[in-house]
């Protein structure tokens, strides 16, 4: 306690703040990368005028409240106020579309990763580049706006992502970490810059439609370990309106939640991977070589140092489960029983283990929003069964937990089975793994590989960006991020590894076949059930 108090007083700390889809999290770590204080703010995206978005007020109110909660926790625990920090890093849900004019004004509401409106534009760019461009990538959103003739396009001076925007406002620097950059526009792993050939193709494609070259509006790429600017006096006031926090603090390159998840799970080496399971779910596998061809189910991005990664990203994971858990909680309250939320999750998750290995013939789709991997255009959460299915609570919950990994399995099977990608280890993190064992064992069954979950499974991203901030200021000369993580962050850390249970693997395969066969049902629901 005393060591941590001195570290806070002297600024021997690092702060990581990550903007998730439902929660903004702040984690303060010491020089050993041990969390010593945290704070959070709950928020929800809005569906307005056909777009999933957050307002600028949402962003800044949430950031200040999250930081204030962390600072209050420090004051309560250690009896001091935070005046300085060794380094700060920002992370957020990946990509999306934020564009600004010459006066730094946001031209259209922030379009988050959750919007599939740019799918057609992404498909056209995929064909042009021979490189998969998902609908959520920034360049797909840009091209979508160009194709639609949107009025604001001619006024674009700068395009960035959520964490790039926050970093810019706090430091004045228009920069981005390479992992997030690789989801704005394709990156060349050799040069660690935007791919020159694809830049030319895009500029040639739109030269008569826009007054700029795309490289001139994108943020500058930095890699892990680079200093990305310092907190300005104005930035310090934006973060901490009380004026207690002083300017001059160095910031690391802002990164997306994919990159911070890799760091938080020690998954930046080749042949390692991680699965982040929260509102969305994605698998990241660091590749030894490029895939044989472009796949619409697999994105090619990079680690925070620029190594190639195969990524399967699915828009939906826990949101539908959360809705069902809330429903059970509501029923309990009708009976006069107030059950804590964590216990509701635990009891329902543990109940699923008593279900049939294939969920008794039940089928669920957790598509609160559209799902590009399985080509479903809009959100239609569904639960389906035949009259012969074994319908009980255990199978019901098991089906909803299986389907959380349903679309993910489709993409992972391509890498692991068709492409023969090798994995030495894969680590799970995110809210789905907070309940001991259950989600972990189902993921192991889905990919038929051992899965490790660390003790910090539920708070990975904020810790990951804090570690990147610490790496920037405490790394030794020539020390790689891989070595830093292996020797200084994760050495001796405890984790639990579960090997896939053969019966669960067989059951999940049966469920997966039913899942794929039933996709026409949910596609028809999109057509038949209009918003």
């Amino acid at each position: 306690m005393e060591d941590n108090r001195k570290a806070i007083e002297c600024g021997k700390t690092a702060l990581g703040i990550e903007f998730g889809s439902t929660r903004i999290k702040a984690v303060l770590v010491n020089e050993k990368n041990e969390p010593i204080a945290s704070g959070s703010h709950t928020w929800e995206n809005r569906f307005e005028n056909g777009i999933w978005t957050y307002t600028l007020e949402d962003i800044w109110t949430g950031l200040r409240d999250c930081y204030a909660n962390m600072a209050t926790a420090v004051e309560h625990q250690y009896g001091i106020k935070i005046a300085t920090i060794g380094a700060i890093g920002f992370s957020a849900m990946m990509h999306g579309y934020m564009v600004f004019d010459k006066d730094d004004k946001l031209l259209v509401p922030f379009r988050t990763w959750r919007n599939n409106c740019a799918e057609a534009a992404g498909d056209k760019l995929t064909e042009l580049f021979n490189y998969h461009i998902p609908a959520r990538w920034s360049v797909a959103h840009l091209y979508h706006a160009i194709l639609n003739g949107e009025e604001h396009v001619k006024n674009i001076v700068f395009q960035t992502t959520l964490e790039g925007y926050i970093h810019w406002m706090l430091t004045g620097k228009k920069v981005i970490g390479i992992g997030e950059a690789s989801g704005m526009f394709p990156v060349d792993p050799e040069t660690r810059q935007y791919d020159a050939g694809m830049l030319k193709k895009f500029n040639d494609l739109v030269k008569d439609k826009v007054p700029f070259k795309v490289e001139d509006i994108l943020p500058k790429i930095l890699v892990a370990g680079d200093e990305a600017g310092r907190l300005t006096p104005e930035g310090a006031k934006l973060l901490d309106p009380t004026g207690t926090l002083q300017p001059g603090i160095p910031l690391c390159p802002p990164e997306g939640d994919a990159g911070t998840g890799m760091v938080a799970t020690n998954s930046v080496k080749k042949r390692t991977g991680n699965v982040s399971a929260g509102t969305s779910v994605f698998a990241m596998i660091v590749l030894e070589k490029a895939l044989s061809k472009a796949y619409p189910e697999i994105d090619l991005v990079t680690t925070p140092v620029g190594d190639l990664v195969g990524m399967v990203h699915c828009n939906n994971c826990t949101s539908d489960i959360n809705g069902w858990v809330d429903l059970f909680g509501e029923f309990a309250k009708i009976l006069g029983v107030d059950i804590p939320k964590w216990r509701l999750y635990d009891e329902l998750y543990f109940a699923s283990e008593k279900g049939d290995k294939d969920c008794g013939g039940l089928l669920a789709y957790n598509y609160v929003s559209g799902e590009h991997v399985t080509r479903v255009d809009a959100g239609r959460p569904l639960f389906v069964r035949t009259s012969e299915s074994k319908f009980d609570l255990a199978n019901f919950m098991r089906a909803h937990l299986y389907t959380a990994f349903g679309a993910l399995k489709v993409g992972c099977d391509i890498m692991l089975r068709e492409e023969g990608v090798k994995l030495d280890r894969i680590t799970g993190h995110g809210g789905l793994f907070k309940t001991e064992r259950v989600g972990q064992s189902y993921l192991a069954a889905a990919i038929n590989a051992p899965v490790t979950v660390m003790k910090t499974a539920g708070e990975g991203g904020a810790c990951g960006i804090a570690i990147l901030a610490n790496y920037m200021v405490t790394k030794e000369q020539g020390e790689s991020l891989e070595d830093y993580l292996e020797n200084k962050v994760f050495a001796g850390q405890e984790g639990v590894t579960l090997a896939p249970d053969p019966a669960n693997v067989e059951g999940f395969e049966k469920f997966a076949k039913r899942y794929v066969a039933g996709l026409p049902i949910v596609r028809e629901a999109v057509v038949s059930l209009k918003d």
Side-chain angles (χ1 to χ4, degrees), residues 131-166:
Y131 191 100
H132 182 222
I133 305 296
R136 70 181 182 281
W137 279 24
S138 302
V139 68
H141 279 285
L142 175 62
Y143 190 45
H144 169 76
I146 293 170
L147 289 176
N148 277 6
E150 295 189 37
E151 182 68 20
H152 75 272
V153 170
K154 68 179 186 297
N155 297 318
I156 296 175
V157 170
F158 180 48
Q159 177 176 8
T160 189
T161 63
L162 177 54
E163 73 273 25
Y165 163 68
I166 295 162

Side-chain angles (χ1 to χ4, degrees), residues 301-323:
V301 292
T302 76
T303 68
V305 296
D307 290 330
L308 194 64
V309 174
M311 178 183 190
V312 180
H313 179 274
C314 308
N315 288 349
N316 301 281
C317 186
T318 60
S319 292
D320 196 37
I321 294 174
N322 295 344

Side-chain angles (χ1 to χ4, degrees), residues 510-525:
K510 289 180 180 178
F511 175 84
K513 288 178 181 177
R514 190 184 317 130
Y515 181 93
V516 172
L519 284 169
I521 303 170
V522 71
R523 291 180 187 133
E524 178 59 31

Side-chain angles (χ1 to χ4, degrees), residues 443-489:
L443 174 60
I447 63 174
N448 195 18
V451 174
T452 299
V453 171
M454 310 298 289
K455 283 187 174 181
T456 57
E459 304 294 341
C463 283
I465 192 65
I467 291 168
L468 284 172
N470 237 350
Y471 171 67
M472 177 186 69
V473 294
T474 65
K475 69 181 185 300
E476 296 177 17
Q477 184 71 30
E479 186 176 25
S480 70
L481 180 60
E482 289 180 12
D483 289 342
Y484 181 82
L485 294 177
E486 196 72 42
N487 302 325
K488 294 183 177 176
V489 180

Side-chain angles (χ1 to χ4, degrees), residues 131 178 185-197 221 302 306:
Y131 191 100
I178 191 169
F185 193 96
V187 163
D188 182 344
E190 296 298 320
T191 64
R192 303 309 205 245
Q193 295 299 321
Y194 300 113
D195 187 282
I221 293 178
T302 76

